[in-house]
Amino acid sequence: MKARTRWDEVCTVDDLVPESGVAVWTEDGPVAVFYLPHRLPALFAISHSDPFSGANVLARGITGDLKGEPVVASPLYKQHFSLRTGLCLEDDSVRVKVYPVLLDGDRIRLEVPVIQHESIAA
Amino acid sequence: MSKKTLIVIGNGMVGHHFLEQFTASAAATGFQIIVFGEEKQLAYDRVHLSEYFGGSTHADLAMGTLEWYSEQGIQLHLNEQVTGINREARRVTTSRGSYHYDKLVLATGSYPFVPPITGNDHPHCLVYRTLDDLDAIRTSAEGARTGVVVGGGLLGLEAANALKCLGLEAHVVEFAPRLMPVQLDTDGGALLRRKIEELGVQVHTEKATTSIVDGESARLRMNFSDQSFLETDLIVFSAGIRPQDALARASGLEIGERGGIVIDNQCTTSDPHVHAIGECALWEQKIYGLVAPGYTMARTLSAALNGDRETAFTGADMSTKLKLLGVDVGSIGDAHAQTPGARNIRFNDEQAGHYRRMVISEDGKTLLGAILVGDNSHYDTLLQYALNGITLPENPETLILPESQGGVPALGPDALPETASICSCHNVTKGDICGAIDAGCSDLGSVKAETRASTGCGGCTALLKNVVDNELEKRGVEVSKDLCEHFPHSRQELFHLVKVNGIRTFRALISQHGKGHGCDICKPAVASILATCWNEHILATDHVPLQDTNDTFMANMQKNGTYSIVPRIPGGEITPDKLIVLGQVAKEYDLYTKITGGQRVDLFGATLSQLPEIWEKLIAAGFETGHAYGKSLRTVKSCVGNTWCRYGVQDSVGMAIRLEDRYKGLRAPHKVKMAVSGCTRECAEAQSKDFGVIATENGWNLYVCGNGGMRPRHGDLFATDLSDEALIRTIDRVVMFYVRTADRLQRTSVWMENLEGGLEYLKEVVLEDSLGIGEELEQHMENLVGTYQCEWKTAVEDPEKRKRFREFVNAPSQSDPEQEWTIERGQRRPALESV
Ligand SMILES: Cc1cc2nc3c(=O)[nH]c(=O)nc-3n(C[C@H](O)[C@H](O)[C@H](O)COP(=O)(O)OP(=O)(O)OC[C@H]3O[C@@H](n4cnc5c(N)ncnc54)[C@H](O)[C@@H]3O)c2cc1C
Ligand code: HEM
Ligand code: SF4
Ligand code: SF4
């Protein structure tokens, strides 16, 4: 059975900060959306929650690339997470959730799972 | 071919190390391995057990993972005690079943000895060996005020520290006349006692406990043989360990007179199918209560099971180096001079609290043992002399004298023989390290990964780095000064590129002089350089993504994702009205409030979206940002000076405010701290600051490049009797020269230590203007002072910049669900994560 998902609008292009991240609130919890205008693709979305501290802070980390891999560094304990796969570069047993993200006009949409009670109602 | 069965009893440090060694060897394919552990948890690092009280969890301390065990095909039975061994039938019985073995390994460790004192079974009488023990201590400490540790040895003092950390008044009761009787002598023990008492732990020596009864003012009373008594709420016994040999004894294996399972050089017991390793094993009448010898036994046994009869356990070095309650203690080899003809050299500086003793051979050529208290910096060198039998210099006392009295610096890595043991936990020699480097390791990290050196107790970290650096240098490997993979330049080179080419953005710099997109190393470093050169607002669009979160949001992020707020209070002087505003704001937003060591007030627990509102209020009341988040000037601490103090000779507060207002906001390679004292009594502790100013009858003395903290450094006296103007001119020049030439994240103290020519050179540049750049430095500083802006003021006034402070850009009213709070001592603080 395939889990049901939906493309939710979370913010607009104006809300984004080039080369950095912003946090958005989704039904699946807080998500960090990054805009790296000098790369293709330029948009990435991963969970906002830092698995090492449990704090919602990843959108506030410094972005960049390590050996070509786009990454964000946790602002608390500085581990790097791949923006493509969510994998932690320092500890490959740790991975944060990755969300498909797209630009629709000037709106940013995220693919989030539809939560159970809604799918029953639908 | 059907596999044979190998059973390991005990899943402790040594048992686990054996499994690591054995599963990697050829013989492992022939065995099904079954492991029984009595504890609930997977093997963990007992050596660092006390860190459990410092916040480490079992996961932090664990030595392996359940996945690893299943990948290796090991059947792991935790929380299952082995209750009997039947050697004829080759079966073990456990609390849950019975299993056949072909080979049996006992790695049962030891248990704490509890002296047979009436009342020792009271529920608040505890021991200190396992995670469960620590949980019990933590529970018992609730509602307790005092705690006693019975036993003043190494573990006892560690336990005392733990009690102290739990907030108890800690006592140590020792039977012998001094602390750590095994490792230390009378003078060493006395000094250790003095230091430990200074830390608030009360030491009672020559006390034999006769009974434990109900107390009057506390839960328990300990009665001593000299009729005295002590009341306490809990007791931790740490009176030594005993080998856990009960199973072996009951099954008729040979046991030593005072306990311990007798083993030969291959770790085989009196039954050829049964082996013993670690603290339960007795080799030549000796029990080894340390982890390194246990690891050596584990390696020896693994080799033996692979048919290697050459590898043998031949005893182990029992030298130890530790920090007990923050006090360095070291003991090497024959510390008590029991070798016939041994001679002693002692150095005892009661003032500084340093005691060092060398035990040397009759002919004065070799070092047999040593004792160190108060300062372990000589340990590595002495240990190498003792372990490798290196011939002592003609005047061996120079090895323990302070340098000012003719002492010689530490033994260089070149002087060590190839066989010198660098890491005793994993038995790595200098030769192994050279081998790893020859095989392609080109930095410390890869040498550690390859040899495992320094991944045990960590005691050899500094020595290992020395050896690796030295070997790399000898092979002509340049220890790279590149900032990171994106820039093949040092910070100083980048500074020049930015300045000379007038580069104003990160993007321009990386496209012209680097590659890729940058990272969390180079971005903040470049941001700092750009700020020093051009002083634009740090939230200007191009600069935002370069900054560490602390700089981006102009506040320090705390562990739960909230921020702290530190307004500038120049010189620590504040009007009652402004103080009231701080209180009102803190109250309105329920901010945890603390006075910092920098003479100002820190407000904790503001969320991202509250920051601009709070600052708006503070700015309206006349406050400015304190730059507590930046690599920049923190505070200028001051004493009250001659306006009030009867000893003061200058206005220290006035000067501190003047300096703080001048240098506030200046971006530097690292934070900069200053202080001004009003007379030589030095109440502001200026000599521990990057820039320290002390008033004289005739003006000001300036000290530079001091530091407090982890590596304290006394500031160097730079100039004397300066007028106000001369003082400021001199500081201008030194600060600017530091900003221009230091490495990324290099404090002034380290900068000074690495500056070629040192203090004299700096004096030439600044006081004699030997490079002819004095005026340029001053001019640069003038520009920076002239373009200062309170970053928070600019930010709250600009709606675009304020947009950055939304917690969730699409849900302004949504609060962060992860932030949980609890009340402690009347204030709100983050709740510790519940596990
Ligand atoms: C607080 C503390 C600090 C220390 N600091 C240092 C230090 O700085 N340096 C140093 O070198 N050493 C230190 N040590 C000593 C070090 O921890 C030991 O040398 C090491 O743990 C010994 O390993 P082991 O495997 O022999 O025993 P253990 O680690 O004790 O493991 C034995 C295991 O066997 C289990 N077991 C016993 N009987 C049975 C049974 N019948 N059935 C099933 N399981 C059983 C036990 O429950 C235990 O888990 C310290 C110890 C403590 C407690
Ligand atoms: C690696 C070492 C250090 C780190 C990581 C560190 C970190 C910090 C941080 C983050 C703050 C700000 C607290 C906040 O507002 O959130 C702070 C403040 C402070 N630290 Fe440190 N610090 C270090 C070393 C030192 C040393 C060595 C000293 C003293 C000798 C020291 C003294 C202070 C003081 C006095 C303050 C308060 C300053 C003020 O009023 O702004 N720190 N430190
Ligand atoms: S340093 Fe001197 S002037 Fe300042 S408070 Fe101390 S005694 Fe007074
Ligand atoms: S000493 Fe400094 S770094 Fe350590 S906990 Fe205290 S404030 Fe934090």
Side-chain angles (χ1 to χ4, degrees):
Chain A
M1 193 186 70
K2 198 170 177 293
R4 295 194 38 197
T5 61
R6 193 171 66 197
W7 286 89
D8 271 357
E9 176 187 336
V10 289
C11 61
T12 69
V13 175
D14 281 346
D15 290 318
L16 300 177
V17 181
E19 304 288 356
S20 185
V22 297
V24 298
W25 183 258
T26 76
E27 293 201 358
D28 203 36
V31 174
V33 181
F34 297 91
Y35 177 40
L36 308 183
H38 298 276
R39 295 191 75 97
L40 260 181
L43 285 176
F44 299 91
I46 65 174
S47 163
H48 186 33
S49 170
D50 170 20
F52 292 95
S53 60
N56 284 320
V57 294
L58 289 187
R60 301 178 221 156
I62 295 180
T63 64
D65 62 345
L66 290 179
K67 307 216 160 71
E69 185 70 13
V71 294
V72 62
S74 161
L76 274 171
Y77 300 114
K78 315 296 175 195
Q79 295 90 353
H80 298 89
F81 297 93
S82 161
L83 294 175
R84 289 189 316 118
T85 62
L87 206 63
C88 173
L89 270 52
E90 283 77 16
D91 179 350
D92 60 15
S93 69
V94 177
R95 183 193 284 272
V96 297
K97 213 162 163 179
V98 181
Y99 297 84
V101 53
L102 59 79
L103 183 65
D104 170 8
D106 67 346
R107 283 169 304 206
I108 309 295
R109 288 183 183 279
L110 282 188
E111 187 178 19
V112 291
V114 173
I115 57 174
Q116 199 92 51
H117 64 263
E118 274 202 352
S119 67
I120 292 166
Chain B
M1 187 190 79
S2 80
K3 286 192 178 183
K4 292 185 173 164
T5 304
L6 175 101
I7 289 186
V8 180
I9 308 183
N11 188 228
M13 298 188 74
V14 174
H16 176 81
H17 193 74
F18 166 73
L19 292 172
E20 277 189 353
Q21 298 293 319
F22 185 66
T23 51
S25 73
T29 50
F31 285 96
Q32 166 64 51
I33 306 175
I34 309 179
V35 179
F36 295 101
E38 178 184 32
E39 294 184 67
K40 306 196 277 291
Q41 303 90 348
L42 189 63
Y44 53 86
D45 183 353
R46 208 178 297 288
V47 171
H48 293 104
L49 186 66
S50 298
E51 290 172 15
Y52 189 58
F53 281 143
S56 289
T57 60
H58 170 252
D60 299 328
L61 295 175
M63 312 208 44
T65 59
L66 290 175
E67 287 77 49
W68 182 83
Y69 276 78
S70 70
E71 276 161 25
Q72 303 301 324
I74 299 174
Q75 273 185 35
L76 179 63
H77 298 245
L78 291 179
N79 204 3
E80 184 168 345
Q81 190 193 16
V82 175
T83 51
I85 303 172
N86 180 339
R87 292 198 288 120
E88 274 84 73
R90 286 204 216 140
R91 294 194 79 80
V92 299
T93 351
T94 74
S95 47
R96 301 213 193 110
S98 156
Y99 305 79
H100 165 80
Y101 68 80
D102 296 289
K103 288 270 171 207
L104 182 64
V105 177
L106 294 162
T108 47
S110 48
Y111 63 90
F113 170 65
V114 177
I117 300 169
T118 337
N120 66 10
D121 51 354
H122 189 282
H124 290 286
C125 289
L126 305 151
V127 293
Y128 199 89
R129 171 107 198 148
T130 65
L131 287 172
D132 287 354
D133 292 339
L134 266 58
D135 282 334
I137 291 174
R138 206 196 302 256
T139 310
S140 171
E142 276 166 28
R145 205 175 51 79
T146 52
V148 169
V149 175
V150 177
L154 193 155
L155 288 182
L157 295 177
E158 217 177 295
N161 189 36
L163 294 184
K164 216 175 126 239
C165 292
L166 287 170
L168 303 188
E169 177 191 316
H171 297 256
V172 171
V173 172
E174 168 61 51
F175 178 71
R178 61 168 182 273
L179 291 175
M180 294 185 64
V182 183
Q183 293 89 351
L184 298 185
D185 58 7
T186 311
D187 287 346
L191 175 59
L192 179 64
R193 174 183 187 146
R194 196 188 91 203
K195 293 200 160 218
I196 281 176
E197 287 185 332
E198 278 167 13
L199 292 164
V201 173
Q202 299 184 40
V203 178
H204 314 263
T205 47
E206 294 183 85
K207 291 277 180 204
T209 315
T210 48
S211 67
I212 298 167
V213 296
D214 285 339
E216 279 168 21
S217 64
R219 292 174 188 151
L220 303 167
R221 169 179 294 196
M222 304 169 71
N223 290 315
F224 302 120
S225 57
D226 60 3
Q227 308 304 323
S228 62
F229 66 88
L230 183 62
E231 298 233 319
T232 176
D233 291 313
L234 66 95
I235 299 173
V236 177
F237 284 103
S238 179
I241 54 170
R242 295 288 181 271
Q244 182 51 277
D245 54 14
L247 283 175
R249 200 185 283 271
S251 66
L253 286 171
E254 188 184 343
I255 300 292
E257 238 169 72
R258 287 165 41 218
I261 308 165
V262 174
I263 57 167
D264 65 10
N265 290 358
Q266 262 75 36
C267 302
T268 305
T269 66
S270 54
D271 177 338
H273 301 290
V274 183
H275 307 270
I277 51 178
E279 283 187 348
C280 62
L282 181 75
W283 179 83
E284 299 209 337
Q285 300 301 321
K286 283 195 278 279
I287 292 277
Y288 291 95
L290 292 176
V291 69
Y295 280 4
T296 308
M297 291 181 197
R299 282 190 294 269
T300 307
L301 176 59
S302 175
L305 293 176
N306 276 279
D308 169 1
R309 307 297 296 174
E310 300 284 298
T311 307
F313 182 76
T314 52
D317 174 53
M318 291 292 279
S319 303
T320 31
K321 160 171 93 166
L322 15 106
K323 228 187 184 49
L324 289 166
L325 296 110
V327 182
D328 277 346
V329 179
S331 171
I332 294 174
D334 180 14
H336 292 296
Q338 282 161 344
T339 313
R343 300 177 185 165
N344 292 293
I345 304 178
R346 289 191 178 85
F347 169 80
N348 195 356
D349 181 344
E350 294 188 355
Q351 180 60 25
H354 294 169
Y355 174 70
R356 302 194 263 280
R357 166 178 174 177
M358 285 165 70
V359 179
I360 59 177
S361 60
E362 195 166 8
D363 61 6
K365 291 222 165 72
T366 47
L367 182 67
L368 302 171
I371 292 176
L372 301 169
V373 178
D375 171 17
N376 263 349
S377 52
H378 300 73
Y379 181 89
D380 286 344
T381 296
L382 293 177
L383 182 66
Q384 293 302 335
Y385 272 103
L387 284 185
N388 300 305
I390 302 173
T391 309
L392 287 168
E394 210 162 305
N395 307 310
E397 68 277 8
T398 53
L399 291 176
I400 54 171
L401 284 177
E403 268 182 67
S404 60
Q405 294 174 34
V408 290
L411 194 61
D414 261 339
L416 297 177
E418 292 286 299
T419 52
S421 160
I422 305 296
C423 169
S424 49
C425 289
H426 292 289
N427 192 21
V428 183
T429 62
K430 179 178 162 193
D432 297 334
I433 291 165
C434 297
I437 292 176
D438 289 335
C441 295
S442 58
D443 56 27
L444 187 61
S446 52
V447 170
K448 276 167 88 167
E450 179 63 29
T451 62
R452 305 193 65 194
S454 188
T455 58
C457 71
C460 62
T461 315
L463 182 61
L464 176 69
K465 181 167 173 357
N466 254 336
V467 172
V468 171
D469 283 354
N470 182 56
E471 290 302 319
L472 285 175
E473 228 159 80
K474 273 204 311 217
R475 286 163 177 71
V477 178
E478 232 182 280
V479 180
S480 169
K481 288 218 153 173
D482 291 0
L483 200 54
C484 65
E485 67 176 69
H486 304 100
F487 287 102
H489 299 285
S490 67
R491 181 185 185 275
Q492 195 181 343
E493 287 163 359
L494 285 178
F495 192 98
H496 283 289
L497 289 171
V498 167
K499 188 97 193 151
V500 173
N501 301 318
I503 295 174
R504 284 179 173 261
T505 65
F506 178 78
R507 189 92 340 244
L509 185 66
I510 199 166
S511 57
Q512 290 167 33
H513 300 284
K515 62 174 200 289
H517 299 272
C519 66
D520 54 316
I521 304 284
C522 58
K523 283 180 167 180
V526 171
S528 156
I529 293 172
L530 293 173
T532 316
C533 290
W534 319 117
N535 219 17
E536 292 170 3
H537 195 281
I538 58 169
L539 290 196
T541 326
D542 285 333
H543 303 327
V544 167
L546 303 183
Q547 317 277 358
D548 220 27
T549 183
N550 290 349
D551 280 288
T552 311
F553 298 108
M554 301 184 296
N556 285 326
M557 184 185 274
Q558 307 298 326
K559 59 200 281 185
N560 63 349
T562 62
Y563 291 87
S564 68
I565 292 179
V566 193
R568 188 167 295 292
I569 301 179
E573 181 185 86
I574 186 164
T575 62
D577 281 336
K578 285 176 94 173
L579 198 54
I580 288 169
V581 171
L582 284 184
Q584 282 166 339
V585 169
K587 202 164 169 184
E588 180 177 348
Y589 291 89
D590 201 0
L591 301 174
Y592 169 84
T593 305
K594 179 163 192 329
I595 310 267
T596 73
Q599 298 188 338
R600 50 189 186 175
V601 178
D602 206 337
L603 310 175
F604 292 86
T607 64
L608 189 57
S609 51
Q610 287 173 339
L611 286 175
E613 295 170 35
I614 293 175
W615 274 106
E616 210 160 25
K617 295 190 176 160
L618 293 173
I619 288 165
F623 285 105
E624 289 185 321
T625 176
H627 295 100
Y629 45 84
K631 304 286 175 238
S632 55
L633 177 72
R634 286 287 164 85
T635 69
V636 184
K637 195 171 160 181
S638 69
C639 73
V640 71
N642 72 354
T643 41
W644 291 90
C645 175
R646 62 196 149 119
Y647 301 112
V649 292
Q650 304 281 352
D651 176 12
S652 46
V653 180
M655 179 50 79
I657 294 175
R658 188 163 166 196
L659 294 177
E660 187 153 348
D661 278 335
R662 183 169 183 83
Y663 302 114
K664 65 190 176 189
L666 174 87
R667 288 304 197 268
H670 209 307
K671 62 185 167 194
V672 174
K673 299 180 178 182
M674 303 191 185
V676 184
S677 282
C679 78
T680 58
R681 285 168 192 76
E682 243 283 66
C683 294
E685 300 171 328
Q687 291 166 93
S688 66
K689 304 295 180 201
D690 299 273
F691 294 87
V693 178
I694 301 177
T696 66
E697 295 285 347
N698 309 315
W700 308 97
N701 284 352
L702 173 64
Y703 291 80
V704 300
C705 305
N707 196 12
M710 210 147 70
R711 265 190 68 206
R713 181 179 193 275
H714 231 270
D716 295 313
L717 181 59
F718 192 71
T720 52
D721 291 333
L722 297 169
S723 66
D724 289 7
E725 302 316 316
L727 173 68
I728 286 177
R729 204 165 54 238
T730 311
I731 299 181
D732 274 3
R733 289 185 179 191
V734 181
V735 170
M736 262 347 284
F737 194 60
Y738 161 65
V739 168
R740 287 187 175 196
T741 58
D743 263 337
R744 182 184 95 85
L745 299 184
Q746 192 173 44
R747 288 290 297 267
T748 57
S749 54
V750 181
W751 170 68
M752 170 65 94
E753 274 159 22
N754 289 306
L755 192 66
E756 229 163 282
L759 182 65
E760 288 316 309
Y761 172 72
L762 189 62
K763 282 187 180 168
E764 282 165 25
V765 171
V766 170
L767 302 177
E768 293 158 32
D769 199 8
S770 60
L771 300 179
I773 55 167
E775 278 191 29
E776 186 192 330
L777 295 175
E778 283 172 39
Q779 193 52 47
H780 190 173
M781 182 62 83
E782 259 334 302
N783 292 345
L784 291 178
V785 172
T787 51
Y788 169 82
Q789 44 182 328
C790 169
E791 297 151 357
W792 263 113
K793 185 161 187 300
T794 323
V796 295
E797 284 168 359
D798 180 344
E800 269 307 302
K801 292 193 173 110
R802 281 186 81 143
K803 269 176 65 179
R804 281 291 282 152
F805 293 87
R806 292 175 294 175
E807 199 98 44
F808 299 106
V809 297
N810 61 341
S813 56
Q814 175 68 47
S815 66
D816 186 333
E818 287 302 324
Q819 288 162 9
E820 290 179 23
W821 303 97
T822 159
I823 302 292
E824 187 172 71
R825 294 184 294 276
Q827 296 203 67
R828 192 178 68 143
R829 67 154 173 81
L832 297 175
E833 58 266 45
S834 43
V835 186

